[in-house]
Amino acid sequence: MLNSHCFPPLVIRGRSLLPIVQGGMGVGISAHRLAGSVAREGALGTIASIDLRHHHRDLIELCRQSPDTTTLEHANLTALKREIHAAKALGEGHGMIAVNVMKALNAQADYVRVACENAADAIVMGAGLPLDLPEMTHGHDIALIPILSDSRGVALVLKRWMKKGRLPDAVVIEHPAHAGGHLGVGNLADMHDGRFEFERVLEELDTTFKSLGLSRQDVPLIVAGGINSHEAVRTLLDAGANGVQLGTPFAVTEEGDAHPNFKRVLAEATPDDIVEFVSVTGLPARAVKTPWLTRYLRHETKIRDKLGALRHACPTALECLSRCGWRDGIEKFGHFCIDTRLAAALRGDVANGLFFRGREALPFGSAIRSVHDLIELLLTGNTRPAVAARWSFSLG
């Protein structure tokens, strides 16, 4: 664990943590090895709940034998249970283990239930307003952390939750112009709106907190998106943030749960390789322009004109999203199977995978370093000499 740094702790539900949060990345990109390794350092590690069965050979075989929705859902819930317990064991009682649950998922309530029943320390929810998360977790001692992008969204959640007698245990404020994966805006044109600037959001929330009779100690604020250096961490914590969240830099660590090819694609991507597009969720997304995504974007207009309003059977039978552009025939949404493409990326299939990535350069450039090295760099600015990797990849 890292103790020699100058920043105050991030305190969530009475637990003092390093002010570093590892963001949730599905499908299977942030599972138990990454989340547990982050927690062991004294920070908050996050398991992305969606479709973790890919890390468990017996569950994949079960799904091959019975490729129906019920079997797939049961397999994923079993996988999530296993991953929580493995992450907590790896964390050795340090830090916290969170489970990220997208609001846009059909099975969101089941993922939340499994997280609560298996002693996850926190639930993080984005991809929609988590207004009913307090009800979903009633009776469980678990931290609740919504992901939002501007002060209006935070104020709405605060007011609704306060009426239910609950406050968020922290709030992640994600800047859509810099983060990877699904972005918290309605359309691509809104990404650079000034209302998302961290300093502005923090200042506006000071006013919001005062109007609601709250102090900043009541609800810590964690900023996310584009954070890639000790200087960035210092600037944001000095500006009033209580912590910072990173996704892509953790995805490419030695302990990251994805195939080495996945890490290579993210680590070697140049700014020109990173593009924004509309996902099947209807949300803007950011990823590396790999062969499949290049082909899809080249033909996107033709696909939308020809197939956009047609409904299709779910290619995997998972029925993962509550609204899916391909399955439901929503013309303005993306039209492909996101689960299939993200699973290909997890396996390291460069030709066919969808590789979500943030826009900024990575802290260690194209080098693959450990979770400890990354956290030490972010909190102290110090870079240790590289040592041999401690983890070998194993999918399942």
Side-chain angles (χ1 to χ4, degrees):
M1 293 178 64
L2 182 68
N3 297 311
S4 58
H5 66 92
C6 61
F7 300 115
L10 169 64
V11 181
I12 296 179
R13 211 165 180 79
R15 297 176 67 170
S16 294
L17 310 169
L18 297 178
I20 302 291
V21 174
Q22 168 247 314
M25 297 165 284
V27 167
I29 303 304
S30 61
H32 81 269
R33 285 189 303 193
L34 178 55
S37 298
V38 173
R40 189 168 57 186
E41 295 294 330
L44 192 153
T46 307
I47 298 169
S49 60
I50 181 68
D51 213 2
L52 287 163
R53 63 197 167 102
H54 295 286
H55 284 298
H56 302 268
R57 289 193 179 96
D58 62 324
L59 298 178
I60 288 295
E61 181 58 31
L62 176 66
C63 294
R64 286 197 185 103
Q65 294 175 6
S66 302
D68 57 85
T69 302
T70 300
T71 301
L72 269 63
E73 288 180 348
H74 175 73
N76 281 325
L77 294 174
T78 299
L80 176 57
K81 177 180 178 179
R82 293 178 183 177
E83 293 291 324
I84 293 170
H85 287 280
K88 297 202 74 168
L90 186 56
E92 300 176 343
H94 302 297
M96 293 179 75
I97 296 295
V99 172
N100 178 284
V101 181
M102 291 174 59
K103 181 66 177 173
L105 296 178
N106 260 331
Q108 57 169 297
D110 290 325
Y111 288 126
V112 167
R113 174 180 55 79
V114 169
C116 291
E117 292 175 351
N118 290 279
D121 299 306
I123 293 174
V124 181
M125 184 172 282
L129 287 172
L131 300 179
D132 57 351
L133 190 54
E135 291 93 331
M136 296 169 68
T137 56
H138 181 71
H140 294 278
D141 181 16
I142 191 166
L144 304 182
I145 306 174
I147 303 176
L148 302 155
S149 290
D150 62 15
S151 61
R152 290 181 295 179
V154 177
L156 176 59
V157 168
L158 287 173
K159 291 173 184 177
R160 292 285 187 90
W161 285 26
M162 288 175 74
K163 290 180 180 178
K164 303 170 186 179
R166 181 68 195 253
L167 284 174
D169 295 283
V171 173
V172 174
I173 301 165
E174 185 180 83
H175 198 311
H178 304 290
H182 289 107
L183 310 173
V185 288
N187 58 70
L188 291 169
D190 290 339
M191 283 194 301
H192 297 280
D193 192 300
R195 74 181 189 273
F196 301 125
E197 294 301 323
F198 292 139
E199 291 79 3
R200 175 172 166 178
V201 175
L202 293 170
E203 183 178 342
E204 290 175 349
L205 286 178
D206 280 338
T207 302
T208 299
F209 276 45
K210 290 176 183 176
S211 71
L212 296 174
L214 300 173
S215 72
R216 285 290 304 279
Q217 287 70 38
D218 294 323
V219 184
L221 300 177
I222 302 161
V223 294
I227 300 159
N228 61 356
S229 68
H230 172 66
E231 291 73 24
V233 172
R234 178 179 294 279
T235 297
L236 291 166
L237 296 183
D238 286 348
N242 302 97
V244 297
Q245 175 176 291
L246 299 87
T248 305
F250 277 111
V252 302
T253 55
E254 294 169 1
E255 298 91 335
D257 291 274
H259 191 281
N261 286 350
F262 176 93
K263 301 175 188 182
R264 179 176 58 81
V265 168
L266 268 60
E268 296 179 359
T270 68
D272 290 339
D273 294 328
I274 301 167
V275 294
E276 292 85 30
F277 60 99
V278 178
S279 170
V280 295
T281 62
L283 295 170
R286 180 172 291 116
V288 180
K289 190 169 54 177
T290 46
W292 170 78
L293 185 54
T294 299
R295 291 195 306 273
Y296 172 76
L297 294 177
R298 184 187 306 132
H299 300 293
E300 183 180 31
T301 300
K302 292 180 181 178
I303 293 171
R304 184 173 283 118
D305 290 344
K306 186 175 181 179
L307 302 173
L310 299 178
R311 296 177 63 89
H312 299 84
C314 176
T316 67
L318 182 58
E319 304 285 352
C320 58
L321 297 174
S322 57
R323 292 206 303 166
C324 170
W326 174 255
R327 181 195 65 207
D328 300 332
I330 305 174
E331 192 168 356
K332 293 181 180 180
F333 287 20
H335 294 278
F336 55 90
C337 176
I338 192 167
D339 184 73
T340 299
R341 298 300 171 183
L342 291 176
L346 173 68
R347 297 191 304 269
D349 185 348
V350 178
N352 296 296
L354 172 58
F355 295 75
F356 284 145
R357 188 199 191 281
R359 175 164 290 284
E360 267 63 36
L362 297 177
F364 292 110
S366 60
I368 307 301
R369 301 291 295 266
S370 71
V371 162
H372 178 86
D373 289 351
L374 174 60
I375 291 176
E376 183 175 35
L377 173 64
L378 294 171
L379 292 181
T380 71
N382 297 327
T383 304
R384 291 173 179 260
V387 296
R390 295 177 294 170
W391 292 97
S392 59
F393 175 77
S394 175
L395 190 59

